[in-house]
Amino acid sequence: MRFLALALCGLISGVFGASSVLASPANRSPNMPSVPGAVNPAVTPETIDTTICVSGYARSVRPPYSVTGRIKRQLMRAEHSGERFAGYELDHLIPLALGGAPADQRNLWLEPWTGAMNATDKDALEFVLWRLVCRHEVTLRTAQKEIAGNWIEAYRRYATPQNLARFHFGRTGSD
């Protein structure tokens, strides 16, 4: 089933642009997604001020639900059969706001909404890293590698209570 989803997204990624893989699944800890992460080649360190740092960028490249809903259903059947559909988010490991590939299966995984280090925590990290990149305090490539390599460690490093407050995220994290 995962092969079918990979094939589907391989076809779809041609529509949204080719992407490169950022991390090796072999280096992952057991609590991490089995996808390596992939980036959108249109987003580079030189283009961040005209791409990801422009309000509405992520929304403009987000694949439609007709694409993501199908992928999520396939992954749910293959990886979480019998579980609640609403219990998981189809997540971009490297978020669109950090130049993640929009519809590349290598960047999509099912992330739980509950439990330790869940979708809410990763969303907080994504927001903090996006702000740091757009303020030129962290490089784009560093942010992409950190979140793709081990987002939980990146959360501990970047989503500090100080950064969450600094960027007005409105939460203190779950550490």
Side-chain angles (χ1 to χ4, degrees):
M1 186 60 86
R2 184 83 171 169
F3 175 76
L4 291 174
L6 283 168
L8 171 67
C9 281
L11 293 172
I12 293 167
S13 67
V15 174
F16 291 96
S19 57
S20 61
V21 175
L22 207 60
S24 167
N27 296 333
R28 298 213 175 280
S29 64
N31 59 347
M32 294 297 294
S34 62
V35 296
V39 296
N40 180 346
V43 178
T44 67
E46 296 77 32
T47 66
I48 63 170
D49 292 324
T50 58
T51 55
I52 64 170
C53 297
V54 173
S55 179
Y57 168 80
R59 193 176 322 114
S60 75
V61 297
R62 185 173 308 285
Y65 181 77
S66 61
V67 172
T68 61
R70 189 173 344 135
I71 295 167
K72 183 176 179 180
R73 283 188 296 280
Q74 289 173 340
L75 292 176
M76 285 296 295
R77 279 193 299 272
E79 299 173 11
H80 300 283
S81 182
E83 293 185 51
R84 288 186 33 223
F85 194 76
Y88 293 86
E89 171 181 69
L90 181 64
D91 184 61
H92 292 89
L93 180 59
I94 301 170
L96 300 178
L98 291 176
D104 189 320
Q105 185 73 24
R106 298 169 300 173
N107 199 40
L108 295 168
W109 66 295
L110 292 173
E111 180 179 31
W113 280 108
T114 60
M117 300 311 291
N118 59 47
T120 302
D121 297 312
K122 186 164 178 289
D123 288 346
L125 170 64
E126 292 170 5
F127 183 76
V128 166
L129 283 175
W130 172 73
R131 293 294 302 263
L132 291 169
V133 167
C134 290
R135 288 170 162 250
H136 301 274
E137 295 176 30
V138 171
T139 69
L140 174 66
R141 296 298 181 227
T142 295
Q144 291 172 334
K145 287 178 183 176
E146 293 272 349
I147 206 164
N150 186 329
W151 78 264
I152 294 170
E153 287 303 314
Y155 178 91
R156 292 182 178 121
R157 188 171 9 273
Y158 295 101
T160 62
Q162 295 83 2
N163 275 343
L164 291 169
R166 177 179 172 205
F167 297 126
H168 309 288
F169 193 73
R171 53 188 316 269
T172 59
S174 66
D175 278 348

